[in-house]
Amino acid sequence: KAGVTQTPRYLIKTRGQQVTLSCSPISGHRSVSWYQQTPGQGLQFLFEYFSETQRNKGNFPGRFSGRQFSNSRSEMNVSTLELGDSALYLCASSLVGGRSTGEAFFGQGTRLTVV
Amino acid sequence: GESVGLHLPTLSVQEGDNSIINCAYSNSASDYFIWYKQESGKGPQFIIDIRSNMDKRQGQRVTVLLNKTVKHLSLQIAATQPGDSAVYFCAGAIPGDSSYKLIFGSGTRLLVRP
């Protein structure tokens, strides 16, 4: 079956702009989590969505937001981009994301560069 | 808060030898721990996990050991192969109301010498 698909793969934006990233989870998976990966901070949890509701949130400013659609596809948005937002943004999907399993399947990520 | 760290940023091993990658965590909030492998240009790939009430779990060529007394876990890879070259992350799964949040360590780069 198809894996987690993230689009676009690469993106270059200017400071102050906003950006929307997309994630299509594995078919049947209802939980989608987003992570930011940078050389300095490593992998950091942004938020998790399940059945169109945000159930978990990391310690990122309000400029970072997300949503999930009825087909479980998810988008994350970053407004008023800063140079420090340059990172690899990873999406992970799991069956339920609940206490029954922690096995999350990651996409290849979207490489965002802010100039 | 919870933090997960790794002892060494880079580990170089000879092909065929066993590799041991270490990880330490700061508190006991994690219900379980997961090891991920990330190859260049790819997202992290699940390797193996271990529940916090276990000491050891084995997979194919991999073994994870958890020592709750010293808050330390390790990933052992037997007969390391060139394809094992990657960055390895440990992650602690922190339970919330209805789901988990993964807290990742900074990663160890495993280099396999031919």
Side-chain angles (χ1 to χ4, degrees):
Chain A
K1 57 183 175 182
V4 178
T5 304
Q6 291 188 247
T7 56
R9 287 293 310 280
Y10 302 94
L11 206 50
I12 300 176
K13 288 286 188 177
T14 306
R15 273 181 301 175
Q17 286 187 313
Q18 67 92 27
V19 67
T20 300
L21 311 181
S22 178
C23 172
S24 293
I26 291 172
S27 178
H29 284 195
R30 295 169 63 191
S31 168
V32 174
S33 298
W34 289 90
Y35 294 83
Q36 181 196 66
Q37 186 174 29
T38 59
Q41 299 297 319
L43 272 157
Q44 293 186 288
F45 173 79
L46 280 154
F47 28 64
E48 185 230 356
Y49 286 87
F50 181 83
S51 292
E52 303 177 63
T53 301
Q54 186 183 92
R55 337 190 259 193
N56 231 328
K57 191 176 187 302
N59 298 321
F60 277 80
R63 298 187 297 108
F64 292 82
S65 63
R67 59 178 177 169
Q68 187 180 34
F69 302 94
S70 58
N71 61 358
S72 294
R73 189 177 71 85
S74 177
E75 289 181 347
M76 69 161 281
N77 184 77
V78 188
S79 62
T80 321
L81 283 165
E82 300 175 1
L83 294 179
D85 297 333
S86 295
L88 180 67
Y89 290 88
L90 290 159
C91 163
S93 80
S94 60
L95 200 57
V96 293
R99 293 176 183 274
S100 62
T101 179
E103 188 175 326
F105 295 86
F106 284 83
Q108 290 186 291
T110 293
R111 171 75 61 186
L112 172 65
T113 302
V114 182
V115 297
Chain B
E2 176 75 13
S3 69
V4 183
L6 289 157
H7 292 306
L8 295 173
T10 304
L11 176 66
S12 180
V13 300
Q14 191 72 38
E15 181 180 353
D17 287 351
N18 295 336
S19 302
I20 299 177
I21 301 172
N22 296 303
C23 184
Y25 58 97
S26 61
N27 65 51
S28 304
S30 298
D31 269 2
Y32 59 91
F33 299 89
I34 311 166
W35 281 99
Y36 286 93
K37 171 186 179 183
Q38 187 174 23
E39 297 174 281
S40 181
K42 297 183 179 180
Q45 178 185 4
F46 173 91
I47 302 174
I48 190 169
D49 64 3
I50 185 169
R51 294 206 67 86
S52 59
N53 61 357
M54 298 171 66
D55 298 320
K56 180 180 179 179
R57 190 170 185 210
Q58 287 185 292
Q60 187 177 15
R61 279 202 309 122
V62 295
T63 301
V64 56
L65 299 177
L66 176 62
N67 186 329
K68 293 179 286 294
T69 302
V70 295
K71 296 179 181 176
H72 177 274
L73 70 157
S74 66
L75 176 70
Q76 300 178 5
I77 304 174
T80 312
Q81 302 169 0
D84 294 327
S85 294
V87 177
Y88 289 80
F89 295 94
C90 63
I94 311 294
D97 287 340
S98 53
S99 67
Y100 286 107
K101 177 169 67 175
L102 297 180
I103 306 297
F104 283 85
S106 55
T108 292
R109 182 174 298 281
L110 177 64
L111 301 175
V112 182
R113 302 189 304 272

